[in-house]
Amino acid sequence: MTTLLEARYRTVLRLLPAYYGRAREEEMVETYLGDTDQETQDQSRPTLGEVASVAALAVRSRLATAGAPRPYVRLGSAVRLFALFGVLLQAASAVVGRVLELTWASTGGATRWEMFTASFTGHGPVTGVVTAVTWILPLLWTAGLFALLHDRRRLARLSALAAALPTLWPLLAPLVDTSFPPDPAYAVACALLAWLSALAVCAGYHRDAPPAALPGGAPGLLFLACCVVMGGSVVLLPAAADAVWAPTTGFVVGAVGWLLWRVRRRDEGTACGTVALAVLGLLILAARVAALYPWLDVPVPAAFLGGALGQTAALVLLVAALALVGRRGLLTR
């Protein structure tokens, strides 16, 4: 006779994918019930820790590796590649943005340096601390990237989560500081990009996942190339540069390079990477549109408007091409 506790355990175990549940459900139920007195099973329920453990297992088994059904293997590979690409893009963007900002402040005399330091000291101690934290924490994307590539997964998770924290401030600041202008669409787009990347690192690189590896070249060279492309785009076209100009340029160049590199490769991992890039591109497109929209009714330099519209068009075409190529690659396997 099935007890109430056993029924509750089986309900929790429905979180697991079907292939895993068929193989392990009975064994897991026996293990959970083994330490519980038969007479008290109708008054007991799964503990919070057990439910959390099953939920974590459900994520790991869905983002699976070799040995699981192919759809789960593909999903796991795509999530892990999305995490790598997302962290790489944001790491390079954070480094380039701060290097260019410091270069601008330190090469224009005392006036520029005072303008730079005033953003930390000119609005009170609390705002100054928040500004300093939001300026420094995104640099942890780089720490997270190289920790992940050196298989330091715990450090990579903590670094990615900490690096994503500043994206919450634009959503919270208007609630506590009336002088902070709200821009919800852009703030939400940036937060989605950061937090989905961080959560993909946490979920995709579980204990059974293979070591992280950037396809296409040495990690240091790829990171340097991203920084050069992003920084060069700002230096060459400063009138067109806004907050998303550099990362969008980096993505466009990287996605075109990926499509060209993919011509010589037909493995399933490349198809999963193409799908991951399509998802990343969709998030960047949302940030690009959100950053551009408020300026459509305002007189702005033609270079800025033309650059932003050109990037938007390039992103639309690239996301569509990546989705089509990735889908075709998966269907042919």
Side-chain angles (χ1 to χ4, degrees):
M1 180 178 176
T2 301
T3 64
L4 186 57
L5 180 60
E6 180 180 346
R8 286 168 173 166
Y9 274 122
R10 291 190 185 278
T11 299
V12 172
L13 291 175
R14 288 176 189 166
L15 294 171
L16 300 171
Y19 83 92
Y20 198 93
R22 284 192 298 268
R24 299 290 303 278
E25 181 175 339
E26 296 303 324
E27 176 188 348
M28 294 176 73
V29 169
E30 290 179 6
T31 301
Y32 283 134
L33 296 177
D35 297 330
T36 306
D37 190 350
Q38 181 76 25
E39 297 179 356
T40 63
Q41 288 188 10
D42 285 333
Q43 289 79 42
S44 302
R45 61 181 63 247
T47 66
L48 184 59
E50 290 170 337
V51 174
S53 176
V54 173
L57 179 59
V59 173
R60 291 203 308 272
S61 53
R62 281 183 168 83
L63 305 180
T65 57
R70 180 171 289 183
Y72 296 104
V73 175
R74 287 173 170 174
L75 178 61
S77 178
V79 168
R80 284 185 283 276
L81 286 169
F82 169 80
L84 270 176
F85 296 149
V87 172
L88 171 63
L89 185 78
Q90 291 173 98
S93 177
V95 169
V96 167
R98 281 141 188 81
V99 168
L100 290 177
E101 190 174 355
L102 286 173
T103 302
W104 176 87
S106 60
T107 57
T111 302
R112 284 190 183 179
W113 186 254
E114 290 175 1
M115 291 173 61
F116 172 72
T117 57
S119 61
F120 299 94
T121 61
H123 305 283
V126 175
T127 303
V129 169
V130 171
T131 303
V133 169
T134 56
W135 196 88
I136 293 170
L137 281 184
L139 295 173
L140 290 177
W141 286 119
T142 304
L145 173 66
F146 287 99
L148 195 58
L149 292 170
H150 286 84
D151 213 28
R152 302 288 299 276
R153 300 186 184 188
R154 181 178 176 83
L155 177 59
R157 295 187 195 107
L158 293 175
S159 297
L161 291 171
L165 283 175
T167 61
L168 297 179
W169 176 243
L171 296 170
L172 300 176
L175 303 177
V176 298
D177 185 357
T178 56
S179 66
F180 197 96
D183 190 2
Y186 178 68
V188 169
C190 292
L192 277 176
L193 173 60
W195 283 99
L196 287 178
S197 299
L199 293 176
V201 171
C202 297
Y205 286 96
H206 50 78
R207 65 189 182 193
D208 300 322
L214 275 171
L221 290 177
L222 288 174
F223 178 72
L224 180 60
C226 286
C227 291
V228 170
V229 168
M230 291 185 190
S233 71
V234 175
V235 172
L236 293 175
L237 294 170
D242 61 358
V244 295
W245 171 264
T248 302
T249 303
F251 174 82
V252 169
V253 173
V256 171
W258 176 273
L259 289 173
L260 294 175
W261 178 72
R262 187 191 179 281
V263 172
R264 299 185 298 173
R265 297 174 62 89
R266 299 292 180 184
D267 58 279
E268 189 168 82
T270 307
C272 293
T274 306
V275 173
L277 276 175
V279 176
L280 180 60
L282 192 61
L283 293 170
I284 297 171
L285 176 60
R288 173 70 277 174
V289 171
L292 172 62
Y293 182 76
W295 299 101
L296 293 179
D297 297 329
V298 179
V300 293
F304 172 79
L305 187 60
L309 291 174
Q311 282 192 335
T312 302
L315 281 171
V316 170
L317 293 174
L318 271 174
V319 168
L322 288 165
L324 181 63
V325 172
R327 180 177 180 274
R328 184 179 299 171
L330 292 177
L331 289 178
T332 56
R333 296 293 154 193

